[in-house]
Amino acid sequence: MGKDRSQKRHKLVKEEPTGLPSVKEMERECEINGADMAGIDTVMEKLSSTCLDDKEYGCAALSAYISSKDALNKLLDRNAVRLVTPLLQEKKVSLQLAASSLLRGMSEEGGFEACERMIRQDVFTGLTAVLRERVGIWQSSQMDVKSDGYLHSFVNCIYTVQNLCECSALAVRLSIEDSVPQVLLSVLNVEKYSATVLLAAAQCLYTLSEENQTVSEFLQQTSNSQTLTSLLRNDKVLLYTRVIIAGVQFNTYGFDVLSKESEDIILPLLLSALNIDTYDNLCDIVFNSDPSVSSPPTSTGACEMEQDDIGEEKHSTNLTEGSLRKDLEVLDNQLSAQKLSFEIITNLLAADDTEDWADIDADDDTSCGTADSDCMEDEDMEPLPDNSIATTLVDEGLIYTLRHRLHFTDSALYGKVANTDKLHRSALQSSLQRYDSMLASALLCLNNTLSQVKLDKFGGVQSLQSMLKLLLAALSTPQIVSQEMLVESITSAMRSLMEQLSANSENLSFDEEELNTLQKLIMAPHTATAVNALRCVTAVGVSLSKQSAPNPIVKAIGSLLLEVITTSKQLWLVTESLDSIMDVFAEDINNIYIKELGVISTLQEILPQLKTMVSQKDRTETHFLPVLATVKSNLPRFIKYKLKVL
C-alpha cells in the first residue's frame, strides 16, 4: 500500500464540495482558458473588503476560475491563499463554507505544484486550527453534531488536508505535527458524526497512514486499534468507509502481521464489496433515467447485493428527478468500495509473490543458459502457500468474482448516456468513468491472481478462453479504446491469460480481426500497452510452435516482431520483441521461417544498435531491466546456435 509522492497511486473518491450555489454552472459560463484574467484582480479585491458578504461573494466567484491552470496560478501569484485561509475561522457559516470550498477546489484542481505553493502560503495553519477547534467544541457539548451548520466546511477542510498530503511529504509532516491523525480518529464515531464526516476522516487517515511509521505506531495503540476494528464490524457504517478503514489497517500492520481477528473481518468485507453487481445497478440507473425506456438490459451472473443501513440499499427501479442523485451517490460509493477492494487484494497477491520473484531474479543468469535449452516456463504453476491470505481469498470466492463480475460497458450504454438530457448527462458520465476505473483495478487484480493460481481454479482452459474473448471484444469498443489506463489493464490481463493458455494448450490462436486489433495496439504510443499486446501475440506464436508442422501464423508473428525491432525507438518495446522472437523461434521446426524472414541477419544488425540504445536510456527506467539482462545474455547464443543448425 505504498505511496510514491511524485505520482498519486490512487486518489480516493471524495464527495463534491458543498455550499456554493451553482459553482459548476459558473465554471461552464466563464470558459476562462486564459481569457478575462483581469477579472480575477477585480474579484480578489472583494477578499480585502470589510464586508463579510463581499468576502463570501469573492470566494464563490473565484471558485469559478480554478478549473483554469493559468487562472489558478494567477490566484497563487496574488497570494490568494493567505487572504482566504483566515476566513475559515469567521463565525458566519456561509462565509466559512465558501472559503473552505475554494481552498478544497484549488487543492484538487492544481496538482502537485499548486499544493506545494498553497503550503508555502501557510494554508495548514488555518486548516488544522479549524479542525482542532471544531472537534473541541463538539466533544465538549451535547449538541447534535450531525445538524451543525459548520459540518460541511469541516469536511472541506479534511479533504483539503488530504489533497495536500497526497501531493507533498511536507504536508504529511505538518499534519502529524498538528495532531491531524488524532483529530481524524476522534471523529470516527458513527453515533455522533454523519456518514459524510466518517468518510472524509477515513480517507484522510488512509492517505496519512501510507508508509508512515509515526502514524502506524499511533494507530497500533490498543484503544485506537479497537476503534478501527469496531468500525469494520459496524454494519451501520457506509461500506466504502469500512473498506477504507480496511486499507488503513493494512497500511498500519502490513500484510504479514495482521492479527487473525482482523483478517477474519477484513477479507470477508472486501469480498462482500466485490459481490455487489454494480453493472446491473449502472444499467438500471442509465436506462431508467429516461421515462420512455422501461426495460434496461440485464447482465449475467448477478448476485444479491449486501444491504447497508447507510447508502447501500438496492437502487429504485423507477427513477425520479429526486431519486437520481441519491441512486448515483449509492452507486458511486459502491464502485469506490470495489475499486479500493480490488487494489488491496492486488497488493495482497503481489506481497505473496514477492519471495518467488526474488528467487527468479537471483537465478536470472542461469536460466536459458544454453542456446538450445528450453526457455519455456513450467506448464503447471505452483499452488499458493498453505494458510496464506491469497489462498483464503481464492477459497472464499475471489475467482468467482473475477469470472462473473467483469462486465464491460458497451457502445449502447455510452450512447444512451450521451443522448440523455443535459441536466443528467454529466453525472451519468462521471459514474460511467468511475465504473471503468473500477474495472481497470479488477483487471489488474485478475492479472496478479492468474500468476499465482492453478488453471483448474479458473475452470480450466475453456474458461480462460472465454475470458480472453471477452477482453478482446472490449477492445472493439471505441469508448474503451480511448481510455489509456483501462486499455493497459485489459492488455495486462490478456497477457497473463495468454501465458497461462500457452503453457496449457497447443491450439491457442486468434482470428485475423483479433490479430489486427493487437497489431494496432503494438503500434500504439503507450508503451506499456504495446508491450502487453506484443506479449499476447508472442504467446500465440509460442503455442503454435509446439505443433508437429510449421504454421504460417508463426511466420506472420515473426514478421511483426521484426518490424517492431527495426522501427521502434522505444528500448523497452525493442527489448521485449527481441526476447519474444527467441521464444517464438526456439523450436527448430520453425527454422524455415527464420530463413525466409532473414531473422538472423536482422538480429546481427540490431546488436550494435541495441548497445547504443542501452547506453542512451533513461536511468530511471528500471522496470524492464530483467528482460534486458536476459536479452543481452541470450541473444548472442541464440544467433550462434541458429547459425549452426540452419
Side-chain angles (χ1 to χ4, degrees):
M1 305 297 292
K3 174 182 286 294
D4 180 359
R5 296 291 176 193
S6 65
Q7 183 177 359
K8 296 181 184 179
R9 179 185 52 77
H10 166 58
K11 188 172 183 179
L12 296 172
V13 179
K14 308 175 181 68
E15 303 232 350
E16 294 294 332
T18 56
L20 295 180
S22 304
V23 169
K24 287 187 177 180
E25 285 76 6
M26 293 171 68
E27 289 177 354
R28 296 190 192 102
E29 293 172 3
C30 285
E31 294 293 337
I32 300 169
N33 294 328
D36 194 26
M37 298 294 286
I40 293 179
D41 292 325
T42 302
V43 175
M44 281 196 62
E45 292 177 2
K46 299 289 186 180
L47 300 180
S48 302
S49 172
T50 57
C51 176
L52 296 183
D53 288 341
D54 285 345
K55 292 181 178 181
E56 182 179 345
Y57 171 81
C59 290
L62 289 175
S63 294
Y65 285 88
I66 58 178
S67 60
S68 164
K69 183 177 180 180
D70 290 339
L72 180 55
N73 285 333
K74 186 169 184 178
L75 284 176
L76 293 169
D77 291 340
R78 300 293 190 274
N79 288 317
V81 173
R82 294 190 185 276
L83 295 174
V84 174
T85 302
L87 303 181
L88 295 174
Q89 295 179 299
E90 290 285 352
K91 299 302 181 184
K92 186 179 181 182
V93 175
S94 57
L95 173 56
Q96 189 178 114
L97 184 54
S100 64
S101 296
L102 174 58
L103 291 174
R104 176 181 171 183
M106 292 174 69
S107 65
E108 288 180 349
E109 296 286 347
F112 295 99
E113 182 180 353
C115 285
E116 289 288 353
R117 295 184 68 184
M118 290 178 70
I119 294 169
R120 289 197 296 270
Q121 292 184 26
D122 201 24
V123 69
F124 251 92
T125 299
L127 289 171
T128 56
V130 167
L131 295 179
R132 292 194 306 270
E133 177 185 2
R134 188 51 47 189
V135 167
I137 293 173
W138 287 333
Q139 289 183 337
S140 62
S141 69
Q142 299 299 318
M143 66 181 297
D144 181 9
V145 177
K146 295 180 181 180
S147 62
D148 192 327
Y150 291 103
L151 207 59
H152 291 304
S153 60
F154 181 80
V155 168
N156 283 338
C157 288
I158 291 178
Y159 280 131
T160 304
V161 170
Q162 185 196 355
N163 293 335
L164 297 172
C165 290
E166 285 181 333
C167 295
S168 169
L170 174 60
V172 175
R173 180 172 63 81
L174 292 174
S175 296
I176 295 172
E177 292 176 356
D178 289 343
S179 303
V180 172
Q182 289 84 339
V183 171
L184 297 173
L185 198 66
S186 69
V187 300
L188 290 176
N189 183 333
V190 69
E191 302 300 331
K192 192 175 184 69
Y193 298 97
S194 67
T196 302
V197 174
L198 265 65
L199 178 60
Q203 289 180 332
C204 192
L205 195 60
Y206 176 83
T207 296
L208 286 171
S209 63
E210 291 188 279
E211 293 187 348
N212 194 310
Q213 184 65 27
T214 302
V215 176
S216 294
E217 290 175 356
F218 167 71
L219 295 177
Q220 287 178 31
Q221 296 175 15
T222 302
S223 60
N224 299 336
S225 178
Q226 290 174 348
T227 297
L228 296 177
T229 302
S230 66
L231 286 170
L232 289 172
R233 293 182 180 279
N234 195 333
D235 291 337
K236 293 182 179 180
V237 178
L238 192 71
L239 177 62
Y240 182 30
T241 302
R242 293 162 65 198
V243 172
I244 296 171
I245 295 298
V248 172
Q249 291 284 66
F250 281 123
N251 288 346
T252 302
Y253 293 102
F255 302 114
D256 299 327
V257 294
L258 278 173
S259 67
K260 183 65 177 176
E261 181 183 10
S262 296
E263 182 179 325
D264 288 345
I265 302 169
I266 292 173
L267 299 184
L269 171 66
L270 299 179
L271 291 172
S272 71
L274 300 183
N275 281 333
I276 300 174
D277 196 338
T278 47
Y279 182 79
D280 269 358
N281 294 343
L282 176 63
C283 289
D284 284 344
I285 292 175
V286 169
F287 284 89
N288 281 300
S289 62
D290 184 351
S292 65
V293 181
S294 57
S295 55
T298 57
S299 60
T300 58
C303 292
E304 290 186 8
M305 295 196 312
E306 172 187 337
Q307 292 189 355
D308 196 294
D309 291 343
I310 304 179
E312 303 302 335
E313 69 273 8
K314 178 74 176 180
H315 295 287
S316 58
T317 55
N318 295 312
L319 295 182
T320 63
E321 178 66 30
S323 66
L324 178 60
R325 177 175 295 185
K326 179 182 178 182
D327 282 355
L328 283 175
E329 182 180 349
V330 171
L331 175 63
D332 289 347
N333 279 324
Q334 291 171 344
L335 291 172
S336 300
Q338 288 186 330
K339 177 177 173 62
L340 185 56
S341 295
F342 275 124
E343 290 183 349
I344 293 172
I345 292 172
T346 299
N347 280 308
L348 279 170
L349 295 168
D352 263 352
D353 201 31
T354 301
E355 191 171 321
D356 292 337
W357 281 112
D359 291 340
I360 291 174
D361 291 341
D363 295 336
D364 184 66
D365 58 343
T366 61
S367 62
C368 301
T370 60
D372 55 346
S373 64
D374 185 3
C375 299
M376 293 295 298
E377 298 177 2
D378 292 338
E379 294 188 3
D380 194 16
M381 302 191 72
E382 290 297 320
L384 294 170
D386 290 338
N387 301 320
S388 71
I389 296 176
T391 299
T392 304
L393 285 165
V394 171
D395 292 342
E396 293 297 324
L398 176 61
I399 302 301
Y400 176 88
T401 298
L402 291 171
R403 287 179 58 192
H404 296 278
R405 290 288 177 242
L406 290 178
H407 300 289
F408 289 92
T409 49
D410 57 20
S411 296
L413 194 59
Y414 281 107
K416 177 64 177 69
V417 171
N419 292 324
T420 304
D421 61 274
K422 187 176 181 181
L423 180 63
H424 296 154
R425 189 185 311 144
S426 177
L428 291 173
Q429 286 175 336
S430 176
S431 293
L432 267 178
Q433 292 169 359
R434 194 161 291 164
Y435 179 85
D436 287 340
S437 179
M438 178 278 295
L439 206 54
S441 296
L443 290 163
L444 292 176
C445 184
L446 172 63
N447 178 53
N448 274 27
T449 307
L450 283 165
S451 68
Q452 296 199 50
V453 179
K454 275 191 171 183
L455 188 64
D456 58 358
K457 290 283 188 179
F458 276 93
V461 171
Q462 185 175 358
S463 178
L464 291 191
Q465 288 176 335
S466 298
M467 294 179 71
L468 182 61
K469 294 296 182 182
L470 174 68
L471 298 179
L472 279 165
L475 292 175
S476 64
T477 304
Q479 292 87 345
I480 289 179
V481 175
S482 65
Q483 300 181 62
E484 185 176 285
M485 181 181 70
L486 182 56
V487 173
E488 181 182 345
S489 300
I490 292 173
T491 54
S492 178
M494 285 177 55
R495 175 176 177 174
S496 293
L497 280 167
M498 295 294 296
E499 289 171 351
Q500 275 272 23
L501 288 169
S502 176
N504 291 276
S505 173
E506 295 184 5
N507 299 314
L508 182 62
S509 184
F510 288 147
D511 59 34
E512 184 176 352
E513 182 179 352
E514 291 167 341
L515 283 173
N516 288 337
T517 298
L518 290 173
Q519 185 171 358
K520 290 178 182 178
L521 291 174
I522 292 173
M523 301 305 175
H526 187 49
T527 308
T529 296
V531 168
N532 288 334
L534 183 142
R535 284 299 190 178
C536 289
V537 173
T538 300
V540 175
V542 170
S543 176
L544 296 178
S545 69
K546 300 175 185 177
Q547 296 178 346
S548 57
N551 191 309
I553 296 179
V554 174
K555 180 180 178 180
I557 291 173
S559 177
L560 174 60
L561 293 174
L562 288 175
E563 181 182 356
V564 175
I565 289 170
T566 55
T567 62
S568 176
K569 303 299 181 183
Q570 296 292 330
L571 177 59
W572 182 14
L573 189 58
V574 171
T575 300
E576 295 281 357
S577 299
L578 289 168
D579 191 51
S580 295
I581 209 164
M582 289 188 287
D583 290 340
V584 170
F585 291 112
E587 302 294 336
D588 288 342
I589 194 174
N590 291 308
N591 286 348
I592 183 176
Y593 298 139
I594 292 180
K595 289 182 179 180
E596 293 178 2
L597 295 171
V599 171
I600 299 304
S601 60
T602 300
L603 295 181
Q604 288 174 321
E605 292 174 3
I606 201 67
L607 271 177
Q609 300 176 32
L610 180 65
K611 293 179 181 178
T612 302
M613 294 177 71
V614 170
S615 65
Q616 296 175 349
K617 82 175 187 69
D618 187 344
R619 293 186 180 274
T620 62
E621 295 180 342
T622 60
H623 47 281
F624 62 95
L625 288 183
V627 179
L628 180 59
T630 299
V631 168
K632 290 172 67 177
S633 173
N634 291 344
L635 187 58
R637 286 182 286 179
F638 177 83
I639 294 172
K640 181 178 180 180
Y641 172 76
K642 289 300 180 180
L643 285 173
K644 179 180 177 181
V645 299
L646 286 175

